[in-house]
Amino acid sequence: MIYVGKLTESEALSLQGQMWKEDEYFHPVLNGDGIDWYISTEEMEGNINPDFTWVASLPLIPFIPQPLDSNALPIPD
Amino acid sequence: MPGSAPISWFSLPSVDPDAAAFISAASITDPTQQSAIYQLVADMKGVGNYTNAVWNDLDAVYPFIGGNATSHSYNLVNTAAYQISWSGGMGHDSTGITGNGTNAFGNTFLTAETVLSKTSTFLGAYCGTNTAQSGYDIGATVGSNVVGLISRFGANEVYYRPWNAGANQTTSTDSRGWNYAMRDNTTQVTGGKNDTRTVYSTAYVNTAVNEFLYILAMRTSGGGVTAYSNKNLRFVAIGQALTTAQMSDFYNMIQDYQTTLGRQV
């Protein structure tokens, strides 16, 4: 089981376009349940941006993969 | 200076400006890493240990030298073009880059439709881990068309998808090594691992893929992301079609580079 850091939608919006480390951007994603947003534990634990120290204490939730885009699976040759 | 041997200007080793530019941009100070880059560039230009140059055929080469997000972002063939922007929890260490399978990817800002050609495309990724997982090593898609590569998908398939809706899939139980997909005409795709290649009959799809190529994920229409990978990559190359001789030499150049860095598979 992979765990990720749970975000509210407003928290997710606040992280978009922001760096958590030099040359590395936060990437909030909607979890596969379609309800919760998340960032990875790598971002939570590695963040050095003082504006977002709160990400270190985000509650962990199970990662639920979004369905793959239909094009990711090939049409059989 | 008394007692010193005279220095001949002509005896000084030449410094390749492209290699030097990359080393400077990526702030590489380790002598072994610097040596690896100089040799790799010489080899790619056909003035090193191999005769079949590939330098002018490639638009973006990411050597993932072993370091941090900044050093891993630069394009060896042109440090001013296609610099990767990293998003999510990508790992960066001495082995290269490692995805997390949940939200990490690299945006090359290289638009498949405008930089590559539907009859001349090469995509290659040197994978350091053996993982069967539904993530793309390199990918972008629009409509049913895909420009992408997967070194090992969930059920042990390898997907070669340079401008095709199908995958030319073959079976592999080991994603490690140099995996690549190449299209040099409208009806066939060459898929390869290390120095072994197979030609598949698959027509190209003419749909424009006006999206950036992503690394360790697939970019979808309108800026979405799918198929995050958790693989470790140690080298990525994107460019025009290569000849068989070029592909063979290129594999050996990359293997030499990985060996110098002590991370060959």
Side-chain angles (χ1 to χ4, degrees), chain A residues 23 25 27 38 43 71-72 77, chain B residues 70 88 102-103 136 143 161 168:
Chain A
D23 292 332
Y25 290 88
H27 183 47
Y38 69 84
E43 291 156 278
N71 290 338
D77 290 320
Chain B
T70 305
T102 61
N103 76 340
Y136 272 71
R161 307 187 71 180
N168 310 293

Side-chain angles (χ1 to χ4, degrees), chain B residues 72-126:
Chain B
H72 287 165
S73 70
Y74 285 100
N75 172 11
L76 179 63
V77 298
N78 183 351
T79 56
Y82 311 129
Q83 183 177 3
I84 295 173
S85 175
W86 301 107
S87 292
M90 187 70 73
H92 299 272
D93 61 21
S94 61
T95 67
I97 64 167
T98 304
N100 60 8
T102 61
N103 76 340
F105 68 93
N107 182 353
T108 65
F109 295 100
L110 188 157
T111 303
E113 186 69 23
T114 55
V115 179
L116 306 176
S117 155
K118 295 186 180 73
T119 55
S120 181
T121 289
F122 181 90
L123 307 170
Y126 192 101

Side-chain angles (χ1 to χ4, degrees), chain B residues 191-203:
Chain B
K193 178 163 185 167
N194 298 333
D195 204 10
T196 302
R197 286 160 290 279
T198 303
V199 176
Y200 301 88
S201 294
T202 300

Side-chain angles (χ1 to χ4, degrees), chain B residues 15-28 34 37-38 41 76 79:
Chain B
V15 174
D16 183 278
D18 293 307
F22 179 83
I23 288 167
S24 174
S27 302
I28 298 169
Q34 291 180 345
I37 291 296
Y38 279 120
V41 172
L76 179 63
T79 56

